Amino acid sequence: MPGQGTGQLITVLGASGLLGTAISRELASRPVRLRLVGRRPVAVPPRPAASIEERRADLIEPGSVAEAIAGSDVVIHLVAHISGSGTWRVSDGDTLAERVNLGLVHDVIDAIRIQRPARRPALLFAGSLSQSARVPAALAASGTQPHELLTAYDRHKLAAEQAIADATAEGLVRGSTLRLPTLYSLGTDPVDLDRGVVATMTRRAVEGEPLTMWHGGTAKRDLLGIDDAARAFTAALDALDAVAGRAWEIGTGEQTSVAELFAAIARTVSRQTGRLPVPVVDSTPAQHAMPTDQLDFVLRSPEFRNVTGWAPRVPLHEGLERIAAAVARQHRAVTA
């Protein structure tokens, strides 16, 4: 899609996902060259300032990563394995998940090593706060070490993060990882209304279904609106010299238990629909449940804010109102 961008070439891998869509929207307002790579169609905002190139690609195909990032000044790597159930949950021994979550990072680094651009490209990677979550006392007592990562997903992410740190130390890239909390859609784009736990539970509430939680909903989460997450990546890009070479925790610092979140969703949807809030009920964990479902994932360090000046703009109550209004409008349009 044509634009006026003539500056650096920024390639977004995973541009069709929830975060990729928001980052693409954020970057499209800048006078840059923007290459958006995704397996699904990419949502591009109207009248972009950027010059936009859209690419459909299956990045696990040999040579596709090298082709996708050729000539890039910046690579923003957001690709993660999503299972058939629409979840990032990964089983030990899942070779496809490891290929996507870790192997593609090595493909990026190997391609840059071969291409040897004149200037080291920036490489920003989406990690997770779950990589640094503390093991609860009950699990530690059963023999799990406090520093041990409990899921294959977190091990993949940490290994990918280390590969980027090593490539930065080698002088190949200027790399940094942003460890993200639980992200949720703000309903800005219709394609976002079925992505993430907040959108899923909001839709259930709009349709009058109870909201089910596990383990009493005691686990605490740090919830960040997707637009604020996108701005964290542009803030890192703008402060690249300061953030390169390490991983950073991103979040609001506010703790919200799953039970509190689901109750807030029920109340918010009630205001939108005029019906009584749907019940929030505890249920037996599903077969695909993981130990990390009982852990708290909350920002512990304000360093990223201090270094970049970034701060979240959308408080949770406002974000829930926005996604509830969007889902309710869509539901009314479909059922009218």
Side-chain angles (χ1 to χ4, degrees), residues 6 10 21 24 35 46 78 121 130 135 156 178 266 285 293 298 331:
T6 58
I10 303 176
T21 299
S24 299
R35 181 183 293 158
L78 311 173
S130 60
V135 172
H156 295 166
L178 273 57
D293 294 320
V298 180
H331 182 73

Side-chain angles (χ1 to χ4, degrees), residues 19 38 42 66 79 82 86 102 109 141 202 221 241-242 247 307 309:
L19 180 56
V42 175
V79 184
I82 302 296
L102 175 57
I109 293 169
T202 299
R221 295 291 183 264
D241 289 339
V307 169

Side-chain angles (χ1 to χ4, degrees), residues 118-334:
R119 177 174 169 80
R120 290 184 300 157
L123 175 55
L124 299 182
F125 179 65
S128 173
L129 280 185
S130 60
Q131 294 170 233
S132 53
R134 294 186 176 92
V135 172
L139 287 174
S142 68
T144 302
Q145 297 301 311
H147 64 275
E148 187 173 340
L149 295 176
L150 298 179
T151 70
Y153 173 83
D154 290 321
R155 291 191 290 273
H156 295 166
K157 285 288 189 181
L158 190 63
E161 182 180 291
Q162 186 59 54
I164 293 170
D166 292 344
T168 300
E170 185 183 341
L172 283 176
V173 301
R174 293 174 293 160
S176 182
T177 296
L178 273 57
R179 292 183 173 181
L180 302 170
T182 301
L183 305 180
Y184 67 95
S185 166
L186 296 170
T188 307
D189 195 302
V191 301
D192 295 343
L193 297 184
D194 291 307
R195 297 174 173 178
V197 65
V198 171
T200 297
M201 292 300 167
T202 299
R203 184 168 299 283
R204 289 184 185 177
V206 167
E207 294 173 353
E209 300 177 9
L211 308 185
T212 56
M213 59 189 178
W214 303 336
H215 310 294
T218 57
K220 296 179 176 61
R221 295 291 183 264
D222 189 327
L223 293 124
L224 183 65
I226 199 65
D227 292 347
D228 281 333
R231 289 193 309 101
F233 276 83
T234 55
L237 187 59
D238 293 340
L240 189 62
D241 289 339
V243 303
R246 58 170 291 187
W248 303 84
E249 291 190 354
I250 310 298
T252 67
E254 298 181 3
Q255 301 184 33
T256 303
S257 73
V258 172
E260 292 168 338
L261 171 63
F262 286 10
I265 290 173
R267 292 192 302 270
T268 303
V269 169
S270 175
R271 287 193 291 272
Q272 291 291 331
T273 62
R275 303 192 306 260
L276 291 174
V278 297
V280 179
V281 298
D282 198 25
S283 65
T284 303
Q287 188 173 8
H288 60 262
M290 292 185 172
T292 47
D293 294 320
Q294 302 177 63
L295 270 61
D296 299 338
F297 303 152
V298 180
L299 177 75
R300 294 177 299 170
S301 169
E303 286 185 276
F304 186 79
R305 294 194 198 192
N306 296 339
V307 169
T308 66
W310 171 88
R313 296 174 180 172
V314 181
L316 180 59
H317 69 87
E318 178 183 329
L320 295 183
E321 291 285 356
R322 288 167 60 176
I323 183 66
V327 172
R329 281 195 303 270
Q330 188 185 69
H331 182 73
R332 287 193 293 268
V334 170

Side-chain angles (χ1 to χ4, degrees), residues 3-45:
Q4 303 302 314
T6 58
Q8 60 183 180
L9 173 58
I10 303 176
T11 296
V12 181
L13 303 179
S16 57
L18 175 62
L19 180 56
T21 299
I23 289 177
S24 299
R25 189 164 55 234
E26 185 80 14
L27 290 172
S29 65
R30 299 186 171 203
V32 299
R33 293 176 295 149
L34 193 55
R35 181 183 293 158
L36 306 179
V37 183
R39 294 188 65 180
R40 300 185 303 274
V42 175
V44 178

